[in-house]
Amino acid sequence: MRILYAAPVDLSRAGGQAVHVRRICAAFEGRGHEVRLLVHRPKRECTWAGPNGGLVLPGGSDAFLLPRLRHFASEWALAGALRRELRSFRPDLLLVRQEALSVAPWLAGMTSRRRPVPLVVESNSSLPAVALSALSSPARVAWLASWEGRLLRAADAVGAVTAALAASHAREYGVAEDRLFCVPNGAWIPPSLGSSSSDLRRVHGVGEAEFLVTFAGNLNAVQGVDLLLTVLTLAYPGSIRGWIIGDAPERAALEEHARSLGAQVEFLGALSEEETARHLQASQVVVAPYRADDYARIVGGPSSLKVLTALACDRPLLLTDAPGLESLREVASVTLVAAGDTGAWADAIRAHMGEWRRAGQPLCDWPWLEGQGPGRRFIEAGHTWDHTAAAWEAAFARATFGSERRSR
């Protein structure tokens, strides 16, 4: 199948969006599909050359002084490129990654009943809910809801990252259930780090006797990093250190908060997927202290890249006990911790640290032989990017070979 994939993201950013786009393109190609990718022109140098079917980078918009004007100029350029690629590439379908303030599909006429190819939409979260969690204005939330509903209703098939998100789209926007598919995220399984974990720790000044707790992800309010900083300042029987990987406008305030608390943490900024995995593998425990109410609102469920990456790296994972995450209780490497309870989080970290010290403070093959833990087995059994691509194929079949196109 020839897939034209429009993903209005910046591939030069070391975040989940770029990782997702790169990995799913490779997974599609691994299953025999031809993919051509349209993205915004990166703000920095991007080392990835794109899928074999081609990478299309529309013209930039640096001439516009106001950021909002630059954004919509980029969307206009993306829409123009989309129209051209529909004619030249002749895809079997258009896959659109839904992003906030991305109107290129609408500008290109792809929400019209007369569009030239089937439209499939990739939905990774509820855009209005994310905006609410970020304390956006009511006008912005309403605009996002209006745009999200229009795009989803226009689609011939929608792949939502969780079943709960798919149900939310049906409930909120009236999207027909036979056009909704659950397409969970996948994870890349990194090579073993082995004894080189001590070298990586040494680079950052982390001693072999220090218990290392790592967070990797966006630093927005939903993630609960402020709670983690408080937990890491509580009294522990011995040394404890923290790595925080990721970036967001909130980073400077979080760093200042860490200094005021005296937390022994290092903010490493945004790292590549490969470097993030190496740092997770060199840690004793990985944490995801989501704010439960906010996480439930965005309908993230058990398909968070942060969660899946931690499991693929085969580390013990401390995770907020939030609605939608209950199924992960069955994974032996996951400990669900009460949301917002600093005492419970401190006790969970202490328990793991005590087990590590009793085992002799090993820097690898703890608490199981490297690469043989329950987290990695969970990913291998059904949560790789190939599994994600296979789930997409059902949505593609519905879009291209399903019943007659519905009226709009």
Side-chain angles (χ1 to χ4, degrees):
M1 180 176 287
R2 293 165 67 84
I3 302 168
L4 183 58
Y5 185 14
V9 302
D10 182 350
L11 292 177
S12 67
R13 297 183 62 184
Q17 293 175 326
V19 168
H20 178 107
V21 169
R22 181 163 56 97
R23 290 293 176 186
I24 196 59
C25 284
F28 285 148
E29 291 180 329
R31 298 182 70 84
H33 302 289
E34 184 179 2
V35 183
R36 180 164 295 180
L37 177 63
L38 281 77
V39 295
H40 285 308
R41 184 171 292 278
K43 293 182 173 61
R44 296 179 294 275
E45 182 180 359
C46 178
T47 57
W48 183 49
N52 294 330
L55 177 64
V56 180
L57 305 174
S61 56
D62 295 339
F64 292 88
L65 298 179
L66 296 177
R68 185 60 54 82
L69 290 181
R70 289 200 296 269
H71 169 78
F72 283 108
S74 293
E75 286 291 308
W76 183 265
L78 190 65
L82 177 52
R83 287 190 294 266
R84 291 191 297 273
E85 293 304 323
L86 287 170
R87 293 192 297 269
S88 62
F89 184 57
R90 297 186 179 275
D92 296 304
L93 61 82
L94 171 66
L95 175 61
V96 171
R97 179 184 171 92
Q98 181 178 255
E99 292 288 341
L101 300 180
S102 177
V103 294
W106 172 71
L107 293 173
M110 290 306 298
T111 58
S112 164
R113 295 178 59 184
R114 301 178 62 184
R115 60 176 173 270
V117 297
L119 170 65
V120 181
V121 174
E122 176 187 4
S123 176
N124 292 285
S125 65
S126 166
L127 299 184
V130 172
L132 275 172
S133 298
L135 303 179
S136 296
S137 68
R140 180 186 177 90
V141 172
W143 189 91
L144 288 171
S146 175
W147 165 243
E148 181 174 69
R150 175 173 182 160
L151 183 63
L152 294 175
R153 285 190 297 270
D156 297 287
V158 175
V161 73
T162 64
L165 182 59
S168 172
H169 290 335
R171 182 176 60 252
E172 298 295 329
Y173 303 125
V175 181
E177 291 187 3
D178 67 341
R179 288 178 168 78
L180 286 163
F181 294 81
C182 179
V183 184
N185 280 322
W188 166 67
I189 299 176
S192 296
L193 191 58
S195 60
S196 63
S197 61
S198 59
D199 298 331
L200 181 59
R201 292 163 64 101
R202 193 176 303 113
V203 168
H204 293 284
V206 179
E208 294 189 358
E210 291 183 300
F211 188 82
L212 182 58
V213 177
T214 298
F215 167 92
N218 195 299
L219 303 187
N220 61 33
V222 176
Q223 310 299 327
V225 178
D226 53 341
L227 177 142
L228 174 61
L229 295 176
T230 299
V231 169
L232 294 181
T233 60
L234 299 179
Y236 286 95
S239 300
I240 188 168
R241 292 284 293 274
W243 282 343
I244 297 180
I245 301 169
D247 215 342
E250 295 87 348
R251 177 181 169 182
L254 288 170
E255 288 185 299
E256 178 59 33
H257 185 49
R259 284 191 291 270
S260 69
L261 293 173
Q264 295 297 305
V265 300
E266 183 179 4
F267 285 77
L268 303 181
L271 302 178
S272 70
E273 180 187 23
E274 293 78 7
E275 280 300 301
T276 295
R278 291 180 68 241
H279 284 73
L280 293 178
Q281 289 172 292
S283 307
Q284 274 69 54
V285 166
V286 178
V287 293
Y290 292 113
R291 295 181 183 274
D293 291 344
D294 287 336
Y295 194 72
R297 187 182 299 120
I298 65 176
V299 205
S303 197
S304 159
L305 282 181
K306 177 192 298 86
V307 170
L308 296 177
T309 300
L311 295 176
C313 290
D314 226 7
R315 294 291 75 218
L317 172 64
L318 304 184
L319 177 64
T320 292
D321 192 358
L325 295 173
E326 301 91 344
S327 62
L328 292 174
R329 197 183 304 274
E330 301 174 5
V331 183
S333 58
V334 175
T335 301
L336 295 182
V337 186
D341 188 335
T342 54
W345 276 88
D347 288 343
I349 292 176
R350 270 195 210 100
H352 280 77
M353 185 164 60
E355 294 174 5
W356 181 64
R357 294 198 185 285
R358 287 190 291 273
Q361 302 175 172
L363 296 185
C364 61
D365 292 334
W366 179 87
W368 37 74
L369 293 178
E370 190 171 15
Q372 299 181 31
R376 180 163 179 160
R377 290 199 300 269
F378 175 80
I379 297 299
E380 291 173 333
H383 298 85
T384 66
W385 285 112
D386 182 66
H387 290 102
T388 301
W392 270 120
E393 288 175 339
F396 295 163
R398 175 62 183 84
T400 55
F401 304 116
S403 59
E404 65 181 29
R405 305 280 284 278
R406 60 193 165 83
S407 60
R408 299 179 177 84

